[in-house]
């Protein structure tokens, strides 16, 4: 049996495949708006394993599967045998025999890799401690929708060098944009990933310097899921990196800004920018639905 396609990081795609998914996501968005039915996968089932909380990922996958004619199962770790220690590989084999796709949101990236190794259906990373590739599909769709191709543009990541930042590094390579990461000492993205992409990625500790000439500013929470105990020290270290009107004014005049949500107002992003009528953050959230439907089509064929 041939190996299924998986989507564990953006690097599972070629540049052309990623551009294809973004283009298809925009077509699906238009079809949804116009009421054109696209239920291509009647009877197909997606199993969604969640070891961490979620609003957008859960709802977008569940609704997306319904719009494609299939359905989705929400499985929390607390209610499955995985949460009681059943090996990942056994769960992967069993779920593969019953469903057509699996999405996993968990802590260790290696457990998603292990799951994929033993699965005979496509596996999607719905966020790990290291990567959040589904969010990048939506972020890039949002950029393309508002501004066209991102090749040659400058993106500035502000704050924590976390899972989202890592996925931005992968996106910079695939879509050929420049990424400036503005973060405090001790909160840099993984050094190996940075050095492998040193022709695209630069670390700058001064936020004002980092945003100069940027076409897109992006931020995320300062304490990710699982880091709640570090909130105080992280907030102190990252305060100078808040995405606000002052920093935005130093970027390109038509710069966009994004946040994957959930947002903490007046921590990593100002209330003013969250409330601004021109923000694309709500498109970015909605695009999770369209981008993941395009991803599902790509994986199922
Ligand atoms: N952005 C995102 O992944 O949101 P959820 O945690 O609500 O799924
Ligand atoms: N970096 C955040 C993203 C949430 C969607 C986290 O991992 O909690």
């Amino acid at each position: 049996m041939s190996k299924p396609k998986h989507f564990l990081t953006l690097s599972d795609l070629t540049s052309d495949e990623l551009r294809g998914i973004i283009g298809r996501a925009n077509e699906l968005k238009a079809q949804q708006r116009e009421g054109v039915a696209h239920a291509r996968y009647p009877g197909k089932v997606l199993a969604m394993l969640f070891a961490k909380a979620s609003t957008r990922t859960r709802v977008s996958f569940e609704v997306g599967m319904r719009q494609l004619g299939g359905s989705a199962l929400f499985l929390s770790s607390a209610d499955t045998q995985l949460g009681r220690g059943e090996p990942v590989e056994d769960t992967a084999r069993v779920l593969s025999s019953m469903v057509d796709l699996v999405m996993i949101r968990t802590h260790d990236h290696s457990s998603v890799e292990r799951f994929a190794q033993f699965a005979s259906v496509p596996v999607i990373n719905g966020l790990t401690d290291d990567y959040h590739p589904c969010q990048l599909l939506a972020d890039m769709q949002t950029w393309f929708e508002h501004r066209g191709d991102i090749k040659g543009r400058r993106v500035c990541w502000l704050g924590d060098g976390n899972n989202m930042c890592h996925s931005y590094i992968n996106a910079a390579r695939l879509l050929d944009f420049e990424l400036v990461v503005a973060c405090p000492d001790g909160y840099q993205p993984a050094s190996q990933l940075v050095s492998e992409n040193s022709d695209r990625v630069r670390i700058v500790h001064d936020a004002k310097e980092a945003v100069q000439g940027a076409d897109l500013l992006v931020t995320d929470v300062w304490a990710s899921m699982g880091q709640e105990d570090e909130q105080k020290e992280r907030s102190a270290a990252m305060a100078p990196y808040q995405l606000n009107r002052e920093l935005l004014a130093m970027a390109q005049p038509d710069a966009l800004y994004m946040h994957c949500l959930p947002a903490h107002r007046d921590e990593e992003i100002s209330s003013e920018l969250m409330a601004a009528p021109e923000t694309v953050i709500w498109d970015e959230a909605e695009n999770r639905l369209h981008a993941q439907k395009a991803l599902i089509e790509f994986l199922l064929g």
Side-chain angles (χ1 to χ4, degrees):
M1 199 171 57
S2 66
K3 286 291 262 179
K5 283 185 203 160
H6 299 302
F7 183 63
L8 308 190
T9 73
L10 281 183
S11 304
D12 286 324
L13 304 175
T14 65
S15 300
D16 286 348
E17 286 170 341
L18 176 53
R19 283 197 163 80
I21 289 171
I22 294 167
R24 179 64 182 152
N26 276 321
E27 279 171 20
L28 286 167
K29 184 171 187 171
Q31 288 185 7
Q32 189 65 31
R33 290 270 153 85
E34 290 157 15
V36 179
H38 42 266
R40 295 183 56 191
Y41 299 112
K44 297 280 185 194
V45 179
L46 165 74
M48 307 186 294
L49 288 164
F50 281 95
K52 288 175 174 173
S54 169
T55 298
R56 281 145 288 271
T57 304
R58 175 180 177 178
V59 175
S60 55
F61 271 111
E62 192 160 336
V63 171
M65 279 306 290
R66 281 197 213 171
Q67 291 177 354
L68 289 170
S71 59
L73 297 173
F74 172 74
L75 304 165
S76 86
S77 296
D79 304 315
T80 57
Q81 299 291 3
L82 257 184
R84 295 182 56 250
E86 182 170 11
V88 164
E89 51 269 40
D90 294 359
T91 310
R93 284 197 184 109
V94 173
L95 288 189
S96 292
S97 70
M98 298 181 187
V99 305
D100 304 282
L101 273 167
V102 178
M103 188 238 75
I104 307 176
R105 169 169 285 197
T106 191
H107 302 271
D108 285 344
H109 189 73
S110 60
S111 63
V112 176
E113 290 175 331
R114 190 160 175 77
F115 195 105
Q117 197 187 331
F118 288 89
S120 52
V121 298
V123 175
I124 299 169
N125 174 5
L127 180 148
T128 61
D129 291 348
D130 295 343
Y131 295 100
H132 194 5
C134 290
Q135 184 66 50
L136 260 288
L137 297 181
D139 285 27
M140 292 300 104
Q141 181 191 348
T142 308
W143 175 274
F144 277 63
E145 185 182 9
H146 288 273
R147 295 282 188 268
D149 207 304
I150 199 164
K151 184 179 165 77
R153 299 291 201 135
R154 183 180 295 181
V155 177
C156 178
W157 175 267
L158 289 156
D160 190 17
N162 63 11
N163 45 8
M164 275 294 297
C165 180
H166 291 162
S167 288
Y168 261 88
I169 295 175
N170 288 338
R173 162 142 314 281
L174 283 168
L175 297 177
D176 201 9
F177 61 81
E178 184 191 349
L179 180 67
V180 182
V181 178
C183 62
D185 240 346
Y187 295 99
Q188 284 99 331
S191 55
Q192 194 183 333
L193 192 62
V194 173
S195 61
E196 284 167 1
N197 294 284
S198 57
D199 53 336
R200 297 282 192 306
V201 183
R202 214 155 35 94
I203 311 278
V204 172
H205 294 302
D206 179 353
K208 292 187 173 125
E209 182 194 332
V211 298
Q212 303 290 329
D215 300 294
L216 170 62
L217 305 185
V218 196
T219 193
D220 183 16
V221 291
W222 290 336
S224 285
M225 289 181 272
Q227 297 173 332
E228 290 79 4
D229 294 352
E230 300 169 25
Q231 179 73 50
K232 223 170 139 193
E233 69 237 44
R234 288 174 159 270
S235 297
M238 288 185 246
Y241 301 86
Q242 184 192 75
L243 175 49
N244 54 32
R245 188 64 74 188
E246 188 198 353
L247 279 188
L248 187 61
M250 294 177 197
Q252 292 287 7
D254 64 345
L256 295 180
Y257 60 92
M258 296 189 195
H259 188 310
C260 64
L261 307 178
H264 295 93
R265 284 167 174 76
D266 298 322
E267 290 182 29
E268 75 276 0
I269 187 165
S270 66
S271 305
E272 189 203 351
L273 290 192
M274 283 301 297
E278 71 276 13
T279 185
V280 299
I281 284 175
W282 310 111
D283 290 331
E284 180 190 3
E286 179 190 328
N287 285 341
R288 292 293 303 276
L289 171 66
H290 311 297
Q292 287 158 198
K293 281 160 70 180
L295 172 70
I296 291 166
E297 282 189 354
F298 171 79
L299 295 173
L300 289 179

